[in-house]
Amino acid sequence: MEKAMLVFVPAPGMGHLVSAVEVAKLLLTRHHGLSITVLILNHSSVDSKVYDCVESQRASSSAISHRLQFVDLPRDETELVDFSSFVERQKPHAKKAVLKMIQSESSVNSNQLVGFIVDIFCTSMIDVANEFGVSAYVFFPSGAASLGFTLYVQKLHDEENFDPAEFKDSDADLQVPSLVNPFPSRVTPTSVLSREWFPPLLDNIRRFGEAKGIVVNTFLELESYAIESIKMPPVYPVGPILDVVSVGINTNKEEIMQWLDDQPPSSVVFLCFGSQGSFGEDQVKEIAHALEQSGHRFLWSLRRPRSPGLLSCPSDYENPQEVLPEGFLNRTAENGKVIGWAPQVAVLAHPAIGGFVSHCGWNSILESIWFGVPVATWPMYAEQHFNAFQMVIELGLAVEIKMDYRNDSEEIVKCDEIERGIRCLMKHDSDRRKKVKVMSEKSRKALMDGGSSYYWLDRFINDVMKL
């Protein structure tokens, strides 16, 4: 088939949307007869930065931009009680948008609709693909081991009637098929432990089996064991899928980069906890004391805790001094900088960065590997605890600060524990640092002609084009 159309349905979260759009761009670059429409699920409570990202993509003047379009579905003002109901309400709008697109395309250039690629939290959109008689694929924005774990948990629940909430206070180790090492149940992902989140998560996982395949944001050299452990449905490891060109909207970017330019190579520890990561005042003070005692140069993305709401995000402090120890900014002015929202990709790419204290979102992990920056793990929510375990124990690519921290608990990680993690992270001759550098090279080669992800992307394109 010479000309074909794909429809993407990403979840409206920064980590999901950005990587989905990058997959779309990769596909368009590799197949010149393909066009892609990204349906934007629109809700009033979604963080505005998500839609700012969409607008910046719309304004792109790249060689593939005429084959990539974004369609905003009608804005939903209903209170967002649960995400699954929101996606259900969007299905008629998605069907209408695709129908309009098909009618338009048929009169212009005869592009044929060949499939849908839906986010892991939008699998009910498979129903829309079925109505159009085309295949649906799932896009899994995290790693293959995490995918294997979700399938394992679903099987435990459905076949053995096991309630994963029992993992919460358990000391048991689990034999997860996608992991070499026993997995401690105390670091089970928050979404699996939650009575609120687990049922809709299960509903989505169950539908994976209806998909023709799962596109996973990983690469063979990083997760060969996990990839080979998943038998059904077919898995396409096409990563690392990263946006290493666009760095988001940040009014202080130039000031941040100028400060980094003045620092010695590999001397700065970067602290950033994702689009939803923040801490209360007591924890902020412990981090500040740890940084000061460590003596290391630092760049710290410090953000105000988010307001109530399913998709709300943290905001920047107008005056961070209100939560920091008295005199901290003055005492650390020579070797540290406290900022709000961070241009994470640009920072990790800078030669001054020597270590990354991270919440372990999968995109952040892949970015750190790509730029060869070792990580100290401090997971907070979602599947981040699993990612932290994988990086520290399974792959030996990170050090631990606190692997079982929950952002909805009242636990305070003390400054001595944080300082220990930072000192370990910043050791310049450590084996982990060397391993990260090696994996960095492998991540880049995977996407090159002849690389493993290059091969799997071709496999995916060929499979999609076979009607």
Side-chain angles (χ1 to χ4, degrees):
M1 189 183 305
E2 292 183 0
K3 290 187 176 182
M5 292 185 294
L6 275 173
V7 174
F8 274 57
V9 189
M14 193 67 82
H16 292 248
L17 179 68
V18 170
S19 52
V21 171
E22 290 305 310
V23 172
K25 289 179 182 177
L26 200 56
L27 287 168
L28 293 173
T29 302
R30 294 284 290 281
H31 194 292
H32 300 295
L34 191 63
S35 64
I36 291 176
T37 297
V38 182
L39 300 183
I40 304 300
L41 306 185
N42 212 327
H43 196 279
S44 55
S45 66
V46 173
D47 182 41
S48 62
K49 284 189 172 64
V50 172
Y51 298 125
D52 290 343
C53 172
V54 174
E55 290 308 311
S56 68
Q57 296 289 351
R58 272 198 179 100
S60 169
S61 58
S62 68
I64 60 170
S65 58
H66 68 287
R67 291 187 286 126
L68 176 63
Q69 65 171 324
F70 297 84
V71 174
D72 295 315
L73 300 189
R75 187 178 179 87
D76 191 327
E77 301 285 350
T78 310
E79 183 182 359
L80 195 60
V81 178
D82 70 272
F83 191 75
S84 295
S85 297
F86 164 58
V87 177
E88 280 292 326
R89 292 194 299 273
Q90 295 284 299
K91 281 164 59 177
H93 302 309
K95 181 181 177 181
K96 184 177 179 181
V98 174
L99 192 58
K100 182 179 179 181
M101 180 183 71
I102 290 174
Q103 292 169 345
S104 171
E105 290 287 350
S106 63
S107 63
V108 179
N109 53 15
S110 302
N111 282 358
Q112 186 173 349
L113 179 66
V114 293
F116 278 58
I117 299 181
V118 303
D119 186 86
I120 55 172
F121 295 122
C122 301
T123 58
S124 62
M125 287 288 178
I126 291 174
D127 297 335
V128 183
N130 291 339
E131 289 191 54
F132 285 103
V134 297
S135 298
Y137 296 83
V138 171
F139 175 54
F140 196 85
S142 195
S146 180
L147 170 60
F149 179 75
T150 62
L151 296 171
Y152 165 77
V153 168
Q154 181 246 325
K155 185 177 180 180
L156 267 185
H157 180 276
D158 290 355
E159 295 183 9
E160 301 180 28
N161 200 30
F162 182 76
D163 182 1
E166 295 178 26
F167 291 153
K168 189 168 187 179
D169 299 311
S170 170
D171 292 326
D173 285 339
L174 310 175
Q175 300 300 321
V176 180
S178 57
L179 295 173
V180 174
N181 294 282
F183 179 73
S185 56
R186 65 183 174 84
V187 291
T188 297
T190 305
S191 52
V192 173
L193 299 176
S194 167
R195 301 280 184 191
E196 178 186 0
W197 281 94
F198 187 57
L201 177 64
L202 260 183
D203 290 340
N204 279 290
I205 299 169
R206 290 184 183 118
R207 301 208 67 172
F208 287 6
E210 299 175 44
K212 194 175 179 183
I214 303 179
V215 179
V216 187
N217 190 4
T218 191
F219 56 103
L220 189 63
E221 291 77 7
L222 181 67
E223 294 192 281
S224 58
Y225 184 88
I227 291 166
E228 290 163 8
S229 75
I230 302 168
K231 307 304 180 187
M232 289 291 291
V235 169
Y236 301 89
V238 300
I241 304 299
L242 302 170
D243 181 3
V244 294
V245 178
S246 169
V247 294
I249 297 167
N250 187 280
T251 54
N252 297 321
K253 183 190 168 190
E254 285 189 17
E255 179 189 335
I256 293 166
M257 303 316 288
Q258 285 173 4
W259 183 84
L260 286 172
D261 288 343
D262 293 334
Q263 312 309 313
S266 302
S267 66
V268 177
V269 57
F270 175 44
L271 298 89
C272 187
F273 300 92
S275 59
Q276 305 230 356
S278 60
F279 299 99
E281 185 173 340
D282 290 342
Q283 186 63 78
V284 167
K285 285 181 165 57
E286 294 294 326
I287 296 171
H289 290 313
L291 287 170
E292 193 169 359
Q293 289 172 194
S294 76
H296 284 289
R297 291 177 169 82
F298 66 86
L299 179 66
W300 181 6
S301 175
L302 173 61
R303 311 201 71 209
R304 187 187 298 276
R306 66 194 189 108
S307 57
L310 197 61
L311 295 176
S312 65
C313 288
S315 56
D316 290 351
Y317 285 100
E318 291 181 12
N319 178 20
Q321 185 59 63
E322 64 186 79
V323 291
L324 291 167
E326 186 176 352
F328 172 79
L329 292 176
N330 290 332
R331 292 192 301 273
T332 60
E334 293 287 320
N335 68 333
K337 188 171 183 63
V338 176
I339 60 174
W341 177 272
Q344 183 169 292
V345 169
V347 171
L348 288 173
H350 199 284
I353 299 297
F356 181 24
V357 178
S358 172
H359 65 306
C360 297
W362 190 247
N363 285 338
S364 293
I365 283 174
L366 292 179
E367 287 166 7
S368 69
I369 289 172
W370 183 266
F371 293 113
V373 178
V375 168
T377 63
W378 192 337
M380 304 175 75
Y381 52 90
E383 91 292 3
Q384 295 162 10
H385 304 86
F386 184 94
N387 295 342
F389 169 83
Q390 187 181 6
M391 285 292 286
V392 175
I393 305 299
E394 189 80 355
L395 302 176
L397 294 172
V399 300
E400 178 185 358
I401 286 183
K402 184 72 174 175
M403 205 183 292
D404 56 357
Y405 176 86
R406 307 278 174 179
N407 66 331
D408 57 357
S409 73
E410 296 182 1
E411 180 184 13
I412 301 295
V413 183
K414 296 300 183 183
C415 68
D416 289 348
E417 195 170 0
I418 302 167
E419 182 188 355
R420 174 201 53 76
I422 290 172
R423 289 187 182 279
C424 187
L425 171 68
M426 296 301 285
K427 284 182 180 175
H428 286 287
D429 57 349
S430 69
D431 289 339
R432 276 180 170 79
R433 185 174 294 274
K434 293 171 186 173
K435 287 181 72 173
V436 171
K437 295 293 184 186
V438 170
M439 193 57 72
S440 174
E441 290 299 317
K442 290 181 178 179
S443 74
R444 292 165 184 258
K445 287 179 180 177
L447 293 173
M448 296 177 182
D449 192 350
S452 61
S453 295
Y454 191 97
Y455 163 80
W456 279 107
L457 193 71
D458 272 353
R459 274 282 298 270
F460 175 73
I461 291 171
N462 290 336
D463 291 347
V464 163
M465 299 307 237
K466 291 176 186 173
L467 283 178

